[in-house]
Amino acid sequence: MNLTQLRFLGCQNTPFLWEEELLGIQQFQSNNQSLNIKERVDDTIRLGNYVERLVSYELTQDESIHILKENTQIISNKTTLGEIDCFLLQDNQPVHLEIAYKFYLYDASVGSNVLDHWIGPNRRDSLMLKLNKIKEKQFPLLYSDECRYLLEKLNVSVDAIQQRSFFKAQLFLPYQSDVDFTELNKNCVQGFYISLPELSLFKDCKFYIPKKLDWLIEPHSQVDWMNIQKAQEQIREFHQRRSAPLCWLKYPNGEMEKLFMVWW
């Protein structure tokens, strides 16, 4: 199976971060079906754009969906106000869809409520930042004069449009811990995270550090595994750049899972 297909299946199999609605943001409902991707996706683009292409392909395979416009920059007086990920029709219902695929780690020291605690692997973004961006910037773009002009050309009434998110995520917990999942989908948990000194707990395991696009892929055995000494060397190089790599971990019994090696 080629890398594009493995990434596509990994993306498809990642659960939505919440069901139905969170903070007023409703998830898009589609007929998720197992597919083979039959087109090449440019693997030089960043992960977020790559996922958008995978999701676009998946949506086009659904007979109830017709994509009207994708990746549309909304510009006013030569200033970019933002970008609309996708306008589509689902059973002739117009939808403004914002696509997100994120990796979040749970850190109880951040913020004051359970949603605040989910942060990016390098502490530069967070779930709440993304949710607020959708609510306060991306969704309101729909009502700008510039976007109304675009909708007129698409023959779509702004008043008829539903706004939805297509928000998937992989979640990682502190090692040997549990957290509150009253608002988020616990099935999104894909592994745990540790710091470098804790790696010695897994001295009998094998390791693999995938490149970023391959973070989508579910761990499999057909890679070049390395021992803990080699893994430590590579992880230190990431940490020198204040970067937390995602790793695959293979236990002596052959079981595999994902973990982040944090520098903080």
Side-chain angles (χ1 to χ4, degrees), residues 134-148:
I134 292 173
K135 289 179 62 176
E136 298 171 8
K137 184 175 181 180
Q138 292 173 294
F139 278 179
L141 266 181
L142 181 70
Y143 304 103
S144 65
D145 291 339
E146 292 75 17
C147 194
R148 285 176 183 267

Side-chain angles (χ1 to χ4, degrees), residues 39-253:
E39 61 183 45
R40 184 185 178 277
V41 181
D42 181 4
D43 60 6
T44 64
I45 58 179
R46 66 180 184 86
L47 180 60
N49 296 124
Y50 193 92
V51 167
E52 288 175 4
R53 303 276 38 88
L54 298 181
V55 172
S56 175
Y57 182 85
E58 179 181 341
L59 294 176
T60 60
Q61 307 309 301
D62 186 332
E63 293 182 355
S64 70
I65 292 174
H66 173 62
I67 293 178
L68 299 173
K69 193 80 173 174
E70 295 179 282
N71 307 118
T72 304
Q73 289 192 332
I74 307 300
I75 299 173
S76 175
N77 297 323
K78 299 182 180 180
T79 299
T80 301
L81 303 178
E83 183 176 284
I84 299 288
D85 285 347
C86 186
F87 285 124
L88 59 83
L89 296 176
Q90 183 182 40
D91 294 323
N92 293 316
Q93 166 64 53
V95 178
H96 164 206
L97 188 66
E98 288 297 323
I99 299 167
Y101 191 108
K102 292 290 187 176
F103 297 79
Y104 291 128
L105 282 56
Y106 184 89
D107 184 347
S109 71
V110 177
S112 57
N113 65 67
V114 67
L115 294 180
D116 289 335
H117 300 333
W118 294 102
I119 62 172
N122 295 315
R123 309 184 74 83
R124 290 194 289 268
D125 68 341
S126 69
L127 172 59
M128 283 305 301
L129 279 174
K130 182 59 179 176
L131 293 175
N132 288 333
K133 182 180 179 182
I134 292 173
K135 289 179 62 176
E136 298 171 8
K137 184 175 181 180
Q138 292 173 294
F139 278 179
L141 266 181
L142 181 70
Y143 304 103
S144 65
D145 291 339
E146 292 75 17
C147 194
R148 285 176 183 267
Y149 175 69
L150 169 64
L151 291 172
E152 286 176 6
K153 293 198 293 184
L154 295 174
N155 197 30
V156 173
S157 168
V158 66
D159 296 326
I161 293 182
Q162 295 178 347
Q163 301 207 86
R164 298 288 186 267
S165 71
F166 189 104
F167 202 128
K168 294 188 170 189
Q170 295 187 34
L171 303 180
F172 295 80
L173 308 182
Y175 182 54
Q176 291 186 330
S177 69
D178 200 6
V179 303
D180 181 1
F181 281 95
T182 54
E183 296 187 85
L184 302 181
N185 183 358
K186 190 172 184 179
N187 292 327
C188 289
V189 174
Q190 299 294 306
F192 60 93
Y193 70 89
I194 57 174
S195 60
L196 194 56
E198 296 173 285
L199 194 63
S200 60
L201 297 171
F202 306 94
K203 62 181 184 299
D204 296 325
C205 298
K206 298 293 184 181
F207 302 86
Y208 175 70
I209 303 178
K211 64 181 183 179
K212 190 139 187 193
L213 289 184
D214 294 342
W215 287 12
L216 298 171
I217 296 176
E218 297 171 9
H220 60 85
S221 60
Q222 302 304 309
V223 295
D224 293 327
W225 297 96
M226 53 189 163
N227 60 28
I228 188 171
Q229 290 78 20
K230 185 65 176 177
Q232 286 171 328
E233 292 175 13
Q234 294 193 16
I235 291 165
R236 288 192 182 98
E237 292 177 3
F238 279 94
H239 286 184
Q240 288 172 359
R241 303 192 298 270
R242 288 292 189 268
S243 178
L246 176 71
C247 301
W248 296 359
L249 177 69
K250 184 166 76 169
Y251 294 97
N253 65 2

